[in-house]
PDB file of all heavy atoms in Angstrom:
ATOM      1  N   GLY M  31       2.014  52.519 -15.342  1.00  0.00           N
ATOM      2  CA  GLY M  31       1.381  53.764 -16.053  1.00  0.00           C
ATOM      3  C   GLY M  31      -0.054  53.441 -16.208  1.00  0.00           C
ATOM      4  O   GLY M  31      -0.723  52.988 -15.330  1.00  0.00           O
ATOM      5  N   LEU M  50      20.708  34.275 -21.965  1.00  0.00           N
ATOM      6  CA  LEU M  50      21.528  34.543 -23.146  1.00  0.00           C
ATOM      7  C   LEU M  50      22.733  35.488 -22.897  1.00  0.00           C
ATOM      8  O   LEU M  50      23.830  35.152 -23.400  1.00  0.00           O
ATOM      9  CB  LEU M  50      20.664  35.188 -24.256  1.00  0.00           C
ATOM     10  CG  LEU M  50      19.617  34.293 -24.842  1.00  0.00           C
ATOM     11  CD1 LEU M  50      18.694  35.146 -25.704  1.00  0.00           C
ATOM     12  CD2 LEU M  50      20.198  33.299 -25.691  1.00  0.00           C
ATOM     13  N   LEU M 177      -2.776  42.823 -48.751  1.00  0.00           N
ATOM     14  CA  LEU M 177      -3.199  41.678 -47.879  1.00  0.00           C
ATOM     15  C   LEU M 177      -2.006  40.745 -47.602  1.00  0.00           C
ATOM     16  O   LEU M 177      -1.917  40.210 -46.520  1.00  0.00           O
ATOM     17  CB  LEU M 177      -4.353  40.948 -48.481  1.00  0.00           C
ATOM     18  CG  LEU M 177      -4.991  39.886 -47.634  1.00  0.00           C
ATOM     19  CD1 LEU M 177      -5.518  40.446 -46.371  1.00  0.00           C
ATOM     20  CD2 LEU M 177      -6.136  39.129 -48.395  1.00  0.00           C
ATOM     21  N   VAL M 201       1.304  16.999 -24.241  1.00  0.00           N
ATOM     22  CA  VAL M 201       2.033  16.463 -23.194  1.00  0.00           C
ATOM     23  C   VAL M 201       1.032  16.394 -21.862  1.00  0.00           C
ATOM     24  O   VAL M 201       0.948  15.426 -21.179  1.00  0.00           O
ATOM     25  CB  VAL M 201       3.266  17.297 -22.729  1.00  0.00           C
ATOM     26  CG1 VAL M 201       3.776  16.928 -21.454  1.00  0.00           C
ATOM     27  CG2 VAL M 201       4.255  17.252 -23.819  1.00  0.00           C
ATOM     28  N   MET M 217       7.874  14.573 -24.760  1.00  0.00           N
ATOM     29  CA  MET M 217       8.649  15.675 -24.244  1.00  0.00           C
ATOM     30  C   MET M 217       9.943  16.014 -25.016  1.00  0.00           C
ATOM     31  O   MET M 217      10.362  17.174 -25.394  1.00  0.00           O
ATOM     32  CB  MET M 217       8.869  15.642 -22.814  1.00  0.00           C
ATOM     33  CG  MET M 217       7.642  15.651 -21.979  1.00  0.00           C
ATOM     34  SD  MET M 217       7.886  15.425 -20.241  1.00  0.00           S
ATOM     35  CE  MET M 217       6.322  15.395 -19.512  1.00  0.00           C
ATOM     36  N   GLY M 225      13.114  23.592 -31.355  1.00  0.00           N
ATOM     37  CA  GLY M 225      14.243  24.185 -32.113  1.00  0.00           C
ATOM     38  C   GLY M 225      13.805  24.276 -33.461  1.00  0.00           C
ATOM     39  O   GLY M 225      14.199  25.354 -34.068  1.00  0.00           O
TER      40      GLY M 225
END
Side-chain angles (χ1 to χ4, degrees):
L50 289 171
L177 183 63
V201 172
M217 295 177 184

